[in-house]
Amino acid sequence: MANKDHYDVVVIGAGPGGMTAAMYASRANLSVLMLDRGIYGGNLNNTATIENYTGFKSIKGPELAQQMFDGSTQFGAEYAYGTVTKIEVNDDKTRTVFTDMDDQFIAKAIVIATGSEQRHLDVPGEDEFSGRGVSYCAVCDGAFFRDRPLIVVGGGDSAVEEGLYLANLASQVTVLVRGDKLRAQPLLQDEAMKNDKMKFIFNTSVTEIVGDDAKVTGVKTHNNKTGEDGEMPADGIFIYVGNVPMTKQFASLGITNGDGWIKTDNTMKTKISGIFAVGDVRETPLRQIATAVGDGSIAGQQVYQYIQSL
């Protein structure tokens, strides 16, 4: 837990980017606080297996999160729970971070690493059955659906990866794809197509999630080519249709684009001096563990240089 209210650097978010920034900044002998609304690691904790991070042929997401956290705190960076509600720019030298626990932390520099979360379909029944058959995390909830039929909505990397994970548990995984082809990496597509428990239905959108008084029973669908409506039974619906940035609390700073992603230069600086952003929360063409770590290392070094200039 945090034991003071003044730091050189406050890092908001303890995913790969935030933890790397904290490590670099604390290794430069700066006092650093990492704040996160949950357990360190971010979306790593919702990822079963990682096979595209250099140095590991294959590693479990939570295991990598723990290793990163151990490295990020080895030089004295502190870690505390708290959901950041806003940032105030006090003057040319300090900013204040406010949390939902009524804590206030004053820092010379801030690194925003809040990441993104799964986009919702925004169809009837989605909110009603959330936690009762609707999920956005196969690792979190897949075990509840052993030997039962499931639907995955989406056609990108996440949808196919999580569909493969669920296929190890479910009796059948049906992937509903809005377009006429998958957007996932070819390697993932090949693996999924060879899996006997997975099938793909293209040009299909979910228009409603249906259920009884207790749980999900299926979805209503619309064929985007033929215009035909239908209904498909399932015990669970896993949704992977893209991500949205977690930046609402920073909107008043004017550092986001029209979609909410934070705009930075190639040194991770926002348009407000002393405020940096890294990882999935940034306006960037690729959101991966490797790119978040790269962002974090740059930000950690830039934070040091910024503070030295004050």
Side-chain angles (χ1 to χ4, degrees):
M1 294 294 294
N3 54 27
K4 60 181 181 179
D5 59 5
H6 284 69
Y7 292 86
D8 290 322
V9 189
V10 170
V11 179
I12 305 171
M19 289 191 287
T20 304
M23 180 182 70
Y24 270 74
S26 59
R27 192 170 184 268
N29 207 32
L30 301 177
S31 59
V32 179
L33 172 67
M34 280 190 292
L35 283 171
D36 201 290
R37 63 176 185 164
I39 189 171
Y40 49 81
N43 287 330
L44 290 178
N45 295 299
N46 302 328
T47 306
T49 303
I50 295 161
E51 296 179 328
N52 62 348
Y53 185 58
T54 307
F56 300 93
K57 288 184 178 179
S58 179
I59 187 170
K60 302 298 184 185
E63 182 183 348
L64 182 57
Q66 185 63 57
Q67 291 195 29
M68 285 186 166
F69 180 74
D70 293 342
S72 71
T73 54
Q74 66 180 314
F75 301 110
E78 298 177 32
Y79 173 74
Y81 290 104
T83 298
V84 171
T85 55
K86 66 176 179 177
I87 296 171
E88 283 188 359
V89 178
N90 304 321
D91 49 40
D92 290 339
K93 293 188 176 181
T94 64
R95 290 90 183 83
T96 302
V97 177
F98 297 81
T99 78
D100 61 344
M101 300 175 71
D102 295 327
D103 291 321
Q104 297 181 24
F105 301 102
I106 297 173
K108 298 173 184 175
I110 293 170
V111 179
I112 300 173
T114 45
S116 60
E117 60 186 350
Q118 292 290 342
R119 185 185 302 277
H120 289 204
L121 291 174
D122 293 328
V123 298
E126 184 175 12
D127 291 340
E128 178 185 353
F129 291 105
S130 180
R132 295 193 291 148
V134 172
S135 176
Y136 307 87
C137 177
V139 176
C140 308
D141 300 325
F144 296 114
F145 299 93
R146 291 184 184 277
D147 301 318
R148 293 156 72 181
L150 301 177
I151 287 173
V152 169
V153 184
D157 284 353
S158 294
V160 176
E161 284 178 342
E162 302 308 288
L164 283 164
Y165 176 83
L166 291 168
N168 291 320
L169 302 166
S171 61
Q172 177 77 51
V173 176
T174 301
V175 182
L176 302 182
V177 185
R178 184 176 59 180
D180 58 5
K181 62 183 178 180
L182 293 171
R183 293 175 286 103
Q185 300 172 48
L187 187 66
L188 287 172
Q189 292 190 42
D190 290 344
E191 186 177 353
M193 293 296 181
K194 293 174 183 176
N195 193 307
D196 292 338
K197 284 190 176 182
M198 294 185 71
K199 71 174 182 178
F200 296 84
I201 300 177
F202 295 93
N203 300 304
T204 300
S205 296
V206 172
T207 57
E208 184 177 351
I209 297 171
V210 297
D212 54 28
D213 291 339
K215 57 181 174 53
V216 161
T217 58
V219 297
K220 292 183 179 180
T221 62
H222 178 78
N223 187 292
N224 301 318
K225 268 195 171 181
T226 66
E228 182 181 358
D229 294 323
E231 190 162 343
M232 185 178 301
D235 288 346
I237 316 299
F238 288 78
I239 299 169
Y240 302 97
V241 291
N243 288 48
V244 292
M246 299 175 67
T247 56
K248 289 181 181 178
Q249 64 271 53
F250 311 125
S252 63
L253 295 173
I255 58 176
T256 60
N257 67 14
D259 294 319
W261 305 102
I262 296 179
K263 298 183 288 186
T264 72
D265 63 15
N266 59 7
T267 64
M268 308 304 133
K269 296 174 183 175
T270 69
K271 71 177 186 179
I272 299 177
S273 64
I275 298 181
F276 303 76
V278 302
D280 288 7
V281 79
R282 278 204 318 126
E283 183 182 63
T284 177
L286 184 63
R287 296 183 173 89
Q288 295 284 301
I289 299 168
T291 54
V293 168
D295 289 356
S297 61
I298 293 171
Q301 182 64 19
Q302 290 295 316
V303 161
Y304 170 76
Q305 292 181 7
Y306 169 77
I307 290 176
Q308 290 297 108
S309 72
L310 295 177

